[in-house]
Amino acid sequence: MPVCEYLKIPTMSSQVSLKKCGVRFDPPAVVVMYTIPQTGKFHRRTMPIRNFTKNSGIQRTANELKSNARHKKILEKMPQRQLEKLLTLIQDKLKGISLDESLRKNEEMDNIDPNEDLNKLDDETLARKKAVMDESFEKNRVRPDDNDFQYDVEQDFDQHGDIETCEWDADDSDPDF
């Protein structure tokens, strides 16, 4: 029973403490290793993914797994994006893509290129890119109750070279605007 130990989970919950997660390819399943802090006992949960094909919706399947009454307590603290990555590994294997290529593709999808045209992406890839951006925003966000919060910060940016001018809005020929 090969298990791909893909990500370590640094999440703590009052009921369970997630330690590792991975996938089983045949039959498809998500495998989660966790402990119960009250007892300190180590557990392994294998969550089969039924009726999952190479054309199944990743987000829908992840939501179904998280809402399943049997797996809900274990998966509630696992980030949605992480569960989607694991399901993508399984789906790529069903499509005939090797594990190394799938991991590389997953890593590529998590990198945001400022020059990339997001309008040309399919819905699932766009959703994943947006999730990465949201996660980055939340990580860097400074709230008013944070210690390093400063109100009304002004910052000057160094300008290298000449400033390029654009005259597209300088024309006052239209009096209606």
Side-chain angles (χ1 to χ4, degrees):
M1 180 187 323
V3 174
C4 169
E5 290 182 6
Y6 179 56
L7 301 167
K8 293 192 178 193
I9 309 170
T11 337
M12 294 296 281
S13 173
S14 59
Q15 292 94 14
V16 296
S17 173
L18 300 175
K19 298 297 180 186
K20 294 182 185 179
C21 64
V23 298
R24 183 180 68 194
F25 294 113
D26 191 25
V30 173
V31 181
V32 178
M33 311 278 189
Y34 64 96
T35 59
I36 299 176
Q38 292 84 1
T39 63
K41 196 170 182 184
F42 194 74
H43 297 271
R44 174 183 168 165
R45 170 73 59 93
T46 302
M47 298 169 239
I49 305 168
R50 294 177 174 81
N51 303 322
F52 189 68
T53 66
K54 60 183 177 181
N55 299 319
S56 296
I58 299 278
Q59 290 176 324
R60 184 183 55 79
T61 305
N63 290 335
E64 285 175 4
L65 262 177
K66 281 191 141 190
S67 63
N68 184 319
R70 184 178 164 117
H71 309 306
K72 190 174 189 172
K73 286 185 179 179
I74 296 170
L75 293 178
E76 69 184 356
K77 295 292 181 177
M78 180 186 283
Q80 179 80 10
R81 196 168 68 87
Q82 187 169 12
L83 184 57
E84 289 175 6
K85 282 182 184 182
L86 295 171
L87 292 172
T88 302
L89 290 174
I90 295 172
Q91 193 171 54
D92 286 348
K93 184 70 170 180
L94 292 172
K95 290 178 181 177
I97 299 172
S98 71
L99 179 61
D100 291 334
E101 180 66 22
S102 182
L103 288 170
R104 188 194 59 72
K105 187 177 96 174
N106 261 322
E107 190 66 34
E108 202 172 278
M109 287 179 74
D110 289 343
N111 291 330
I112 304 297
D113 180 13
N115 298 322
E116 182 178 19
D117 187 1
L118 299 178
N119 292 320
K120 295 180 181 179
L121 299 176
D122 60 280
D123 290 341
E124 283 196 19
T125 306
L126 180 63
R128 230 163 115 195
K129 296 272 186 182
K130 284 184 175 182
V132 170
M133 288 187 271
D134 287 343
E135 186 177 294
S136 175
F137 172 78
E138 287 300 324
K139 186 172 68 174
N140 297 320
R141 183 178 180 182
V142 179
R143 294 190 172 93
D145 56 338
D146 290 342
N147 291 335
D148 56 345
F149 176 77
Q150 294 178 6
Y151 181 75
D152 197 22
V153 175
E154 293 183 20
Q155 186 172 359
D156 291 328
F157 294 96
D158 294 334
Q159 296 177 359
H160 302 285
D162 295 333
I163 298 176
E164 203 173 298
T165 59
C166 182
E167 302 294 329
W168 67 270
D169 63 344
D171 188 21
D172 293 332
S173 63
D174 192 357
D176 293 337
F177 290 105

